[in-house]
Amino acid sequence: GKTMISHRNLMKEDLEIISSFPLNVEELFFISPRFEYPLTPDQIIKILENRLSPTVIIDTSTQIAIAYANLYDMNHEDSVCWLGNVIVSPDYRGKGVSDYLINTMMDKARNEHDIKKMKLFCHNTNTRALIFYCNQGFKPCGYKIIMNQDNKKIVSIEMERELI
């Protein structure tokens, strides 16, 4: 049947399971160029030093984390924040979990942080994610050229949407 899901703040016991979500070096690079494969709880904790609202989506039948994201670079003057470290469990991909995760993070930015616009970076090699974010109302608004995990140049596309 349909998976029932809800969200809560990240807890220590989620770190091990979240670390298992990225299936390979490329997937981990999509989540953050700063992570090194394989992902470990320590790496997740370290990156959280300057991040806000670390959030997990859970399967309510098991209470186990099935997706994760956080917010960063909160700018209250311009009312902008960035979405980061978006990852969904391989077992739950293509089931609408990402939609719920993004909407949860947009709600948190709006309601908990009083932010009016969300931005993110998505690599040009991550076609699935680009299509997903376009469908979520994000529009390309800039770019940066970065080195990927194989030391090849790729384009990291800056995207944004208003949080109405």
Side-chain angles (χ1 to χ4, degrees):
K2 186 153 165 46
T3 306
M4 297 300 288
I5 54 180
S6 74
H7 63 88
R8 60 169 167 73
N9 293 337
L10 176 71
M11 301 194 307
K12 211 172 158 58
E13 48 268 38
D14 300 319
L15 295 170
E16 209 55 67
I17 183 106
I18 292 167
S19 295
S20 75
F21 293 168
L23 295 178
N24 53 49
V25 174
E26 185 183 45
E27 274 192 14
L28 186 59
F29 183 82
F30 289 159
I31 302 157
S32 170
R34 288 166 54 193
F35 285 145
E36 275 177 42
Y37 193 81
L39 187 55
T40 57
D42 286 348
Q43 293 185 69
I44 298 171
I45 290 164
K46 186 158 175 27
I47 231 170
L48 279 174
E49 286 166 11
N50 53 13
R51 306 229 161 183
L52 293 156
S53 302
T55 302
V56 295
I57 307 306
I58 58 165
D59 181 331
T60 52
S61 63
T62 61
Q63 297 296 305
I64 290 173
I66 59 173
Y68 172 69
N70 54 47
L71 302 173
Y72 67 101
D73 287 357
M74 197 77 58
N75 179 335
H76 288 287
E77 220 171 295
D78 299 331
S79 199
V80 172
C81 76
W82 292 76
L83 175 68
N85 298 156
V86 176
I87 177 73
V88 176
S89 161
D91 300 337
Y92 287 86
R93 292 177 193 173
K95 294 187 163 75
V97 174
S98 313
D99 294 4
Y100 182 80
L101 175 60
I102 300 306
N103 281 309
T104 299
M105 299 315 285
M106 291 196 292
D107 286 346
K108 287 191 173 206
R110 209 174 16 228
N111 303 331
E112 292 175 18
H113 304 288
D114 200 28
I115 292 290
K116 305 276 190 292
K117 182 184 280 183
M118 183 176 277
K119 291 184 167 242
L120 58 88
F121 275 112
C122 188
H123 306 315
N124 72 295
T125 44
N126 194 354
T127 306
R128 261 186 67 173
L130 281 172
I131 292 167
F132 170 74
Y133 289 125
C134 288
N135 287 340
Q136 294 291 326
F138 286 85
K139 301 247 189 311
C141 61
Y143 71 95
K144 60 183 179 183
I145 294 169
I146 61 170
M147 300 305 249
N148 75 357
Q149 69 282 357
D150 300 321
N151 230 15
K152 304 256 196 305
K153 282 183 182 171
I154 62 166
V155 181
S156 196
I157 300 166
E158 183 181 337
M159 305 182 81
E160 65 180 19
R161 70 155 285 180
E162 304 290 332
L163 304 178
I164 298 143

